[in-house]
Structure formats: C-alpha cells, structure tokens
Amino acid sequence: IKHRTDPLGACLRLHIATGAQRWEQLRRATRADIDSDIQALRLLDPKGRRETARTHWVPLTATAIEAIDACSPADPGAFVLSCTGGKSGADYAAAARAVREIAGSLVASGVAVAPFTLGDIRRTVETRLAAV
C-alpha cells in the first residue's frame, strides 16, 4: 500500500497508521474530529449497549496525517477516510476487495503464506499493540 497513489491506497495507509481502527468508525470521522493541538483524531464508538457513543482519541503520527491529507481536503466537513475527496466516507467493500487483491499477489509471490482480509489486519494489529 506504500506505493499506491490512489485514494484507496491512502485510506489503507491511514487505517494501518491509526492502529487498524474499525473501518466504520474511521469512515464517519470528519476533519472537524481532528484536534491539531494534541495531534489526535476523535472517533465515536457506538457499539454495545451504550446510549451515547464513547469518545475514543487516536494519536496521529506523521504517516497518518500524510494519509489524511491524501484522502481529503482541509475542509472541516470533509470525511477523513475518503476516496471521494472528502465528500463521503470510504467504502468498506472496496477496501476489502483491494486487500484481497493485495493478499493474493503477496501469496502468489511467496511473501505471504496465506491470504488475509481487512478484518485479519485489524485483529493482528490490535493483538500486536496489546502485547507491547
């Protein structure tokens, strides 16, 4: 994904750079959810039996900020994780297809031993970060 210059490549880089946060939460975030003073992105986690979504702050590295800039304009209303220049959040199905294609080429070239999914990436990153 490092060499992809398309918006979906930037979205995939942002996904990884933010610790593989849930795609649906990332796709709802807008530029207004970025706090540049603390270099963090506010995500709202509505899952579970909560009446109001839990606020979750995700630190933004230089890589994440670069990916955000490639995904969306600086307009506060622009969606952060976007393939449409900030007009809408990036589609999970398109990202999942791209990851399947990437995984297939990595398996074919011998770099990976088995195919993987976008969900596998999330679980693996979460597990590795929890182990630190």
Side-chain angles (χ1 to χ4, degrees):
I1 62 174
K2 183 171 132 180
H3 301 292
R4 287 184 69 143
T5 58
D6 62 320
L8 189 52
C11 288
L12 292 170
R13 287 190 299 280
L14 178 59
H15 180 246
I16 296 292
T18 57
Q21 298 299 311
R22 285 183 173 81
W23 194 268
E24 289 303 312
Q25 290 176 16
L26 278 175
R27 79 182 301 267
R28 284 192 299 264
T30 66
R31 286 285 189 139
D33 293 311
I34 296 173
D35 185 326
S36 56
D37 291 336
I38 62 170
Q39 294 291 83
L41 173 65
R42 178 184 56 204
L43 298 180
L44 298 176
D45 182 1
K47 67 180 212 119
R49 296 180 187 204
R50 298 182 179 102
E51 293 203 15
T52 56
R54 180 179 67 92
T55 299
H56 175 68
W57 287 97
V58 177
L60 294 175
T61 62
T63 300
I65 293 167
E66 185 178 295
I68 289 170
D69 290 342
C71 288
S72 67
D75 172 9
F79 287 91
V80 170
L81 188 75
S82 180
C83 291
T84 60
K87 294 181 183 113
S88 63
D91 181 52
Y92 180 87
R97 276 192 305 275
V99 169
R100 274 194 306 272
E101 290 171 12
I102 292 166
S105 65
L106 290 174
V107 169
S109 67
V111 173
V113 296
F116 53 88
T117 66
L118 195 54
D120 293 330
I121 292 170
R122 174 169 163 64
R123 280 188 301 280
T124 302
V125 170
E126 185 175 37
T127 300
R128 297 275 175 118
L129 287 174
V132 174

